[in-house]
Amino acid sequence: MTSTAQQLLHSQRDVLLEWTRVHPAPLLRWLCDAGVLSHAHYLSLLERSPSNAVAQALETVCASEESSRGFLQVLREVQDYYCEELQVWVERHCRERTEGMKEAKPVRVEEKKKPKSPISKLFKGKSKFTVTPEVKVEEGLKPRRSVKSSHLRVPLSAHRNTLLERTERLTSYAEGGGQAANSASHIEIRYTDLFVTEDNESFDSSQHEYFTLASRRARIYAHQACQRICPRHLLSPQGTTGRPPKRVKVKGIAGIGKSVAVQRLVYEWALGKHMREFTCVFDLRFRELNLINAPLSLLDLLEDRFRYFKTVLPDLLASPGPLLFILDGLDEFQYQLDWNAPDRDIGVDSKVPVSELIMALIKGSLLPESSVILTSRPSTDAPKRFFQRCCVVLGFEEDQVKDYTSKFYKDPEVSEKVYNYILDNDNLFVLSFIPLYCYIICTALAEFFSSQEDSDSRSLELNPPRTVSEVYYCYLFTAIKHHALKGKAKSNILRSEVLSLVRQQLTNLGRLAYENLLKSKIMFDIQDLERYGLTPVDIQSTFLSQILVPLKEERVEMFSFFHLTVQEHLAALYCAINLSKQGHIIQALDFWCFGEIPPPSTSPTPLLSQDLHLDQTRVENLQMFTRFFMGLLRARLGGQLDGLVLAPLEVGLEGEDIPTTLGIWFQNQFKGRQLANQTALNLLHCLMELHMKEVTSRASPEIRSLNLFKIKMSMVDCAALHYVLQFSPHRLEELNLGYSNIGNRGLSRLAPILHRCESLYLRYNCLEREAAILESAVLKSNECQVKKLFMCGNNLGPEGVLELWKALEQNITLEELYLDITGITERGTENIVNCLSKNTSLKTLTIVGNDIGEVGKRRLRELGHRRPGLQIIGNFVDDLGLLNAYLDWVEEIRDDRDQMDSVKNADALQSILKGLRVGAGGENGEGGEGENTAKALELETKILELLNAPTHLAGVR
């Protein structure tokens, strides 16, 4: 009598466990997707040892005949991941037992008369183990082009298993990169979705890449309903052509998740779950390609990297259509790429320099039918003309930050506490959208919010971190305590004792970080390390990632800090513990912030004794480093670097302490320099990181006006601005935040200081009704000093403007109010006459570009009669100065097309066009009709020219 599936599994449990425990991932994932295991149970199994996971899975499925049959069906589908003995067992036992289950399966398996690929069964659900030409594939999931040799099956199976082993875990730097048994780092558990969207912007190389990304996110979140792109859909057909792109570029700053997204993509392909149209995926990292210094062919490269393909590569490359090459980290490639060089006729066996080989693969002169995904940081970009799709990774959104913290901590109570702390702290919240920053924050906060009552957190002698530098310092100390001491550090040991044990190592590492940061160097070989007194044996993976690449039968070691900001933080730590003279600190600040080198007659600090020169771009890129330095200098003054410093900070020549000296330095910068926008903002951040009232109180009164026009500001920027200006007793003559994208939340952060701004520019800042209500409260304040208020280009709407009119009923300071293109309708003018008739201070009101209707226009005329001293500009053609201002604005947009997308200027231009056409038949200004009309016509013509692009033509004519 035939035994049941349950009986079979019970009797064969041990042998099945032996065959599948080596690598259980495919079996477990397919069981989950087939509904045999629940998702929660699947994730819990990943936290177990491989043997235990399979044993638990077998115990679960054996609970019923139905789940036992489901297990056998899945086993048939994943058999090629396992040994030949299992495949024979499946052929012998499973065929008849699961035959009757086909109709109940959600994916129907059917026979194909003329199959195209004998190896397609490796990537599709299949009904039995066979190497005959008759194979079964899922309906609608055929590869683009089949591979015709069955001898590829074994090496391809080996390839998929190799990729699974390499990609199933996320590196955890603080926990030790080599600790593979750490189940919490499994990619299925820790991976969190990323925000990826189409890229249509250029990169500003003058800014630190983090600040450029923050600007980009500010624009996208406020203005665009962006298309989110899942990594596995990067090669999905495009809307206009319906064809999948062959060349895709993915860019993003360091730590944003490019490599992890690629890792997830490769993992999903290797499991056979996604991108099954590809027969083979080759993942290549530019860090490893740097180790190649002799000409080689594509065959040579792939044979060295994937040795199990050595005998079959020619056959595999003969059908390149279903091949995918992933080239990860172009920014780390040490060889120059000449994108304008003419294409060479290169074959798969042509020996050329590795740079030419990669260039040919990207441009498509080599294997044009294959697909390529290239990742890079924005600072090392590849021309868009070579790609059919360009994407940018923008990191996490708020929901993903919450998801990440819940995955990071096993204790949900701790997870919630940490997430709420991040949410309530502007500095940490804005950092958390970068996945690696989020990891660093979670690591740094772990002990402060641990549910276990022990002395571990007290040993830190710190409160939970508030500033960026404090977060990094807590992270560094946590890493040192847990790993660098190799178990020597106990929970109750003083921080100074811990630091003293690693002082020399941190000093050497910091010097390596600092001197190479000034040279923009991020990759180091063993010789580099030895020059700084470091050896691979001494270095823990906490600080550096070690790459051991098999190349030409050699093991070559290369190192880098696992993130640019870690290098910047360690560089700042080195400087903070080695600068003890006040004069040297001031020299260093002049050098780092402005590129100024001390004159030869002075005694320069040893940190500047090298032949190092900073151009303006390098100065801009040191901004994060200078902020770290200020935070760590504060830590040193507070005794938190005891154990690392060998000498105390010296007093000044006249007995002044370091806070006094720093206060005078900051005071001089704001008083005596013409500061560029970004430089001024960086100094504000430095003051916030230093967080010393005596320093900020001396510097802030010198800030009489602040121009941050077009500096895309994050919540951290707003927090820094508020922190510094709150210490100033004076009014601010001008605060220009035009085009800064601060949004309602940013304006709310600045609310306590807005009443002191005489001229307040808030144009095109993504402000809405809530912002109008907030500004109304400012105007009602008895302490209000605002005389000019610019809120043009914000969607205040009728409800928001009604609140402004009410505030002006009692305000006695505001003289000029600009509300161009703010979404005011007829309803928004309901109380304008009653409220503004009682106002005595307002002299100019601009309200053009709003659809207030005939009733609204009649109300404006009535208001003009009641307030003859109030100039009301309700029509573009009424005011020549206004027309000239908008002509200048249009020219500015013409020169900087990025503005078109940044603040919905296309919509604003449409509103102006409508206003011009309405005004053309209305009343023009007295005595200037001819000139005004000519200017209006010129403005209309230039706007139409600017909008003369396919994506903007709709509705123009």
Side-chain angles (χ1 to χ4, degrees):
M1 183 176 67
T2 305
S3 62
T4 65
Q6 277 180 291
Q7 292 171 335
L8 176 66
L9 292 184
H10 276 299
S11 65
Q12 300 290 306
R13 177 187 178 280
D14 291 343
V15 67
L16 288 173
L17 177 61
E18 179 65 25
W19 288 333
T20 57
R21 68 181 178 83
V22 177
H23 205 64
L27 175 62
L28 297 179
R29 172 64 182 273
W30 281 70
L31 286 171
C32 177
D33 289 352
V36 180
L37 296 176
S38 69
H39 185 68
H41 190 197
Y42 167 62
L43 294 181
S44 70
L45 292 179
L46 295 179
E47 298 187 73
R48 301 175 179 270
S49 66
S51 295
N52 199 330
V54 176
Q56 286 291 318
L58 282 168
E59 182 177 336
T60 299
V61 300
C62 286
S64 71
E65 177 66 17
E66 181 182 0
S67 59
S68 297
R69 285 178 172 271
F71 179 89
L72 293 177
Q73 178 69 14
V74 168
L75 196 61
R76 293 171 63 189
E77 294 170 337
V78 300
Q79 59 182 294
D80 289 317
Y81 289 94
Y82 300 103
C83 61
E84 186 175 352
E85 290 84 353
L86 182 142
Q87 295 171 10
V88 172
W89 186 93
V90 167
E91 175 69 10
R92 178 180 304 163
H93 292 286
C94 296
R95 185 171 186 179
E96 297 81 6
R97 296 179 190 280
T98 58
E99 198 67 37
M101 296 181 57
K102 293 180 183 178
E103 295 179 1
K105 296 293 288 182
V107 178
R108 185 171 179 81
V109 180
E110 297 180 358
E111 199 78 39
K112 303 294 177 183
K113 292 182 180 180
K114 294 182 179 180
K116 295 184 177 180
S117 172
I119 65 162
S120 60
K121 62 192 228 43
L122 299 177
F123 314 102
K124 312 290 189 294
K126 52 186 180 300
S127 60
K128 63 179 181 177
F129 171 74
T130 178
V131 292
T132 62
E134 291 77 27
V135 293
K136 301 177 181 180
V137 296
E138 288 182 17
E139 185 69 29
L141 286 173
K142 297 179 182 179
R144 292 185 199 159
R145 180 178 294 183
S146 59
V147 182
K148 299 180 179 179
S149 300
S150 60
H151 67 286
L152 292 175
R153 184 184 60 80
V154 173
L156 281 171
S157 181
H159 181 53
R160 287 194 305 159
N161 279 317
T162 299
L163 293 184
L164 283 175
E165 291 174 4
R166 198 161 68 220
T167 60
E168 70 178 0
R169 298 193 177 277
L170 295 175
T171 303
S172 181
Y173 297 98
E175 296 160 1
Q179 196 171 353
N182 179 10
S183 59
S185 65
H186 196 287
I187 195 167
E188 295 269 28
I189 299 174
R190 186 70 69 87
Y191 181 80
T192 304
D193 287 333
L194 293 165
F195 180 8
V196 183
T197 189
E198 298 282 353
D199 176 42
N200 55 4
E201 294 191 9
S202 57
F203 175 72
D204 180 5
S205 61
S206 68
Q207 285 193 10
H208 191 290
E209 62 179 11
Y210 164 72
F211 307 133
T212 301
L213 176 65
S215 301
R216 176 73 189 277
R217 289 173 62 90
R219 292 196 294 276
I220 281 182
Y221 278 154
H223 302 287
Q224 300 177 10
C226 283
Q227 177 188 1
R228 270 77 172 164
I229 302 172
C230 182
R232 65 174 179 266
H233 294 149
L234 288 172
L235 291 160
S236 296
Q238 294 172 295
T240 54
T241 65
R243 294 191 300 269
K246 288 290 188 179
R247 298 296 184 271
V248 174
K249 178 179 65 174
V250 180
K251 76 178 184 182
I253 73 167
I256 201 68
K258 302 182 300 296
S259 295
V260 175
V262 165
Q263 181 178 338
R264 177 72 181 202
L265 183 151
V266 173
Y267 176 80
E268 291 288 323
W269 175 85
L271 276 177
K273 304 307 297 185
H274 297 290
M275 300 182 69
R276 291 186 281 189
E277 67 269 28
F278 293 107
T279 299
C280 189
V281 173
F282 298 104
D283 62 320
L284 301 169
R285 299 174 180 84
F286 281 97
R287 283 189 177 190
E288 299 162 357
L289 298 178
N290 285 337
L291 305 175
I292 301 172
N293 50 30
L296 81 170
S297 67
L298 183 62
L299 282 172
D300 295 333
L301 175 63
L302 298 180
E303 285 176 2
D304 280 332
R305 175 76 171 130
F306 311 104
R307 296 174 184 245
Y308 37 74
F309 280 142
K310 190 166 187 177
T311 59
V312 299
L313 266 176
D315 290 343
L316 198 57
L317 298 179
S319 300
L323 301 182
L324 170 60
F325 292 87
I326 296 178
L327 308 176
D328 188 24
L330 175 63
D331 51 282
E332 298 177 343
F333 199 33
Q334 68 181 5
Y335 300 109
Q336 288 292 110
L337 295 179
D338 184 359
W339 298 102
N340 297 316
D343 293 344
R344 290 183 53 186
D345 184 14
I346 296 177
V348 296
D349 54 356
S350 303
K351 292 186 181 295
V352 295
V354 66
S355 57
E356 288 189 30
L357 183 65
I358 295 302
M359 180 71 73
L361 202 55
I362 294 173
K363 293 171 69 173
S365 55
L366 174 62
L367 299 184
E369 295 179 4
S370 66
S371 298
V372 174
I373 294 178
L374 173 74
T375 76
S376 177
R377 281 164 59 178
S379 55
T380 311
D381 213 357
K384 292 183 178 181
R385 65 182 184 273
F386 298 116
F387 302 89
Q388 291 85 51
R389 173 174 285 158
C390 297
C391 300
V392 59
V393 183
L394 298 177
F396 290 155
E397 297 178 87
E398 187 172 326
D399 288 344
Q400 279 70 55
V401 174
K402 186 174 184 178
D403 187 30
Y404 184 89
T405 55
S406 67
K407 292 176 178 179
F408 190 90
Y409 303 101
K410 292 184 178 180
D411 187 334
E413 183 179 346
V414 174
S415 170
E416 184 176 5
K417 287 180 180 179
V418 170
Y419 175 70
N420 289 333
Y421 187 79
I422 293 172
L423 206 59
D424 293 338
N425 187 304
D426 293 330
N427 297 294
L428 305 190
F429 178 71
V430 175
L431 283 178
S432 67
F433 70 75
I434 297 179
L436 198 51
Y437 284 3
C438 199
Y439 165 79
I440 289 172
I441 291 169
C442 287
T443 303
L445 295 178
E447 295 186 53
F448 294 103
F449 294 94
S450 173
S451 58
Q452 298 177 358
E453 295 295 331
D454 54 31
S455 59
D456 226 20
S457 60
R458 291 195 295 273
S459 73
L460 289 169
E461 302 169 20
L462 288 170
N463 294 318
R466 298 165 298 168
T467 64
V468 179
S469 49
E470 286 178 357
V471 167
Y472 271 73
Y473 183 63
C474 288
Y475 167 78
L476 177 64
F477 184 77
T478 300
I480 290 171
K481 190 177 70 169
H482 286 181
H483 297 274
L485 299 180
K486 300 178 182 178
K488 296 177 183 176
K490 305 301 180 184
S491 61
N492 58 354
I493 193 170
L494 292 176
R495 183 185 58 250
S496 58
E497 295 180 36
V498 176
L499 294 175
S500 65
L501 292 172
V502 294
R503 184 184 62 80
Q504 190 58 54
Q505 185 186 35
L506 278 179
T507 300
N508 293 342
L509 199 57
R511 186 166 144 259
L512 168 77
Y514 172 67
E515 294 183 1
N516 287 283
L517 180 67
L518 297 183
K519 301 173 185 176
S520 301
K521 183 174 180 178
I522 61 172
M523 295 287 294
F524 317 104
D525 57 25
I526 292 179
Q527 288 71 35
D528 292 325
L529 299 182
E530 289 175 346
R531 280 193 290 272
Y532 290 91
L534 298 166
T535 65
V537 175
D538 298 329
I539 296 172
Q540 301 296 313
S541 58
T542 299
F543 309 115
L544 294 177
S545 296
Q546 182 175 347
I547 301 174
L548 299 175
V549 184
L551 186 70
K552 303 293 184 184
E553 302 298 332
E554 297 175 358
R555 295 174 68 83
V556 182
E557 294 174 315
M558 291 293 289
F559 302 87
S560 79
F561 293 92
F562 77 81
H563 190 256
L564 174 62
T565 54
V566 174
Q567 182 172 351
E568 291 170 320
H569 182 260
L570 285 168
L573 178 64
Y574 171 73
C575 296
I577 63 179
N578 282 284
L579 287 173
S580 296
K581 294 183 178 181
Q582 294 189 25
H584 288 170
I585 292 175
I586 298 305
Q587 288 177 2
L589 289 174
D590 287 337
F591 179 62
W592 299 330
C593 294
F594 304 103
E596 296 178 354
I597 298 178
S601 58
T602 62
S603 174
T605 167
L607 299 182
L608 308 183
S609 61
Q610 304 209 10
D611 185 21
L612 297 171
H613 300 280
L614 298 180
D615 57 24
Q616 187 57 36
T617 298
R618 288 300 308 131
V619 169
E620 296 280 357
N621 286 332
L622 286 179
Q623 290 179 356
M624 186 67 85
F625 160 78
T626 57
R627 298 177 193 183
F628 278 141
F629 174 77
M630 285 298 174
L632 288 165
L633 187 58
R634 177 174 180 268
R636 178 173 177 177
L637 291 169
Q640 294 162 10
L641 301 187
D642 291 353
L644 294 178
V645 294
L646 296 179
L649 285 167
E650 298 180 6
V651 298
L653 296 176
E654 299 179 6
E656 66 273 17
D657 58 10
I658 187 64
T660 301
T661 301
L662 288 173
I664 294 172
W665 183 83
F666 277 106
Q667 185 181 40
N668 291 337
Q669 309 318 308
F670 288 112
K671 184 177 182 179
R673 288 186 188 267
Q674 291 292 327
L675 296 173
N677 298 8
Q678 189 67 47
T679 303
L681 183 60
N682 186 52
L683 291 178
L684 298 179
H685 275 282
C686 287
L687 284 168
M688 184 171 70
E689 290 293 326
L690 187 61
H691 223 81
M692 300 183 71
K693 182 178 179 180
E694 57 265 52
V695 177
T696 311
S697 297
R698 182 181 288 269
S700 60
E702 299 301 331
I703 306 175
R704 296 303 179 97
S705 67
L706 201 55
N707 181 7
L708 298 175
F709 181 63
K710 285 190 179 180
I711 297 293
K712 303 302 184 295
M713 296 177 62
S714 67
M715 281 299 299
V716 177
D717 298 323
C718 293
L721 181 59
H722 168 259
Y723 170 77
V724 175
L725 291 183
Q726 69 177 328
F727 290 100
S728 174
H730 306 303
R731 61 180 171 79
L732 199 63
E733 294 174 3
E734 177 181 303
L735 177 59
N736 191 344
L737 300 177
Y739 286 84
S740 294
N741 292 92
I742 59 175
N744 294 337
R745 187 174 177 182
L747 188 68
S748 178
R749 191 70 176 83
L750 296 172
I753 63 170
L754 295 178
H755 68 278
R756 292 197 284 110
C757 305
E758 276 196 351
S759 296
L760 181 57
Y761 294 81
L762 299 173
R763 297 176 294 180
Y764 292 94
N765 258 301
C766 324
L767 303 178
E768 298 172 333
R769 175 177 175 269
E770 293 80 0
I773 294 173
L774 187 152
E775 193 57 45
S776 299
V778 172
L779 294 174
K780 290 178 183 178
S781 169
N782 293 330
E783 299 178 341
C784 179
Q785 302 179 53
V786 181
K787 293 182 178 180
K788 296 181 180 180
L789 178 58
F790 296 78
M791 300 194 76
C792 319
N794 294 296
N795 187 27
L796 305 182
E799 302 299 328
V801 175
L802 287 173
E803 296 296 326
L804 287 175
W805 305 145
K806 291 178 185 177
L808 288 174
E809 188 174 0
Q810 63 188 75
N811 176 271
I812 59 173
T813 65
L814 193 67
E815 298 176 357
E816 299 178 20
L817 177 60
Y818 298 87
L819 296 173
D820 313 5
I821 319 172
T822 49
I824 306 174
T825 63
E826 178 184 307
R827 168 163 166 67
T829 65
E830 285 181 355
N831 63 347
I832 189 171
V833 176
N834 182 50
C835 293
L836 296 195
S837 295
K838 301 174 183 178
N839 178 279
T840 58
S841 63
L842 194 64
K843 298 177 182 178
T844 301
L845 172 64
T846 300
I847 196 172
V848 299
N850 295 292
D851 190 7
I852 61 174
E854 291 303 319
V855 174
K857 294 176 184 177
R858 186 172 68 248
R859 289 168 178 161
L860 289 183
R861 288 194 293 270
E862 182 181 351
L863 177 61
H865 291 310
R866 293 197 187 186
R867 284 282 315 276
L870 173 61
Q871 181 187 18
I872 303 173
I873 304 173
N875 196 318
F876 283 103
V877 192
D878 289 347
D879 189 83
L880 184 61
L882 185 67
L883 287 168
N884 284 324
Y886 273 96
L887 278 168
D888 292 341
W889 183 60
V890 170
E891 286 299 319
E892 188 177 292
I893 295 177
R894 186 187 301 276
D895 294 337
D896 180 12
R897 291 302 296 261
D898 177 49
Q899 285 193 44
M900 183 70 77
D901 292 326
S902 69
V903 286
K904 278 193 174 176
N905 279 337
D907 295 342
L909 292 171
Q910 297 284 9
S911 297
I912 297 172
L913 276 180
K914 184 176 181 180
L916 287 170
R917 286 161 181 165
V918 171
E923 304 172 9
N924 290 338
E926 288 291 333
E929 179 176 344
E931 186 176 0
N932 284 17
T933 302
K935 285 290 183 183
L937 182 60
E938 181 185 356
L939 178 58
E940 181 178 0
T941 301
K942 289 192 174 183
I943 290 175
L944 287 172
E945 291 174 354
L946 193 60
L947 293 173
N948 190 22
T951 55
H952 300 308
L953 281 177
V956 172
R957 293 181 173 84

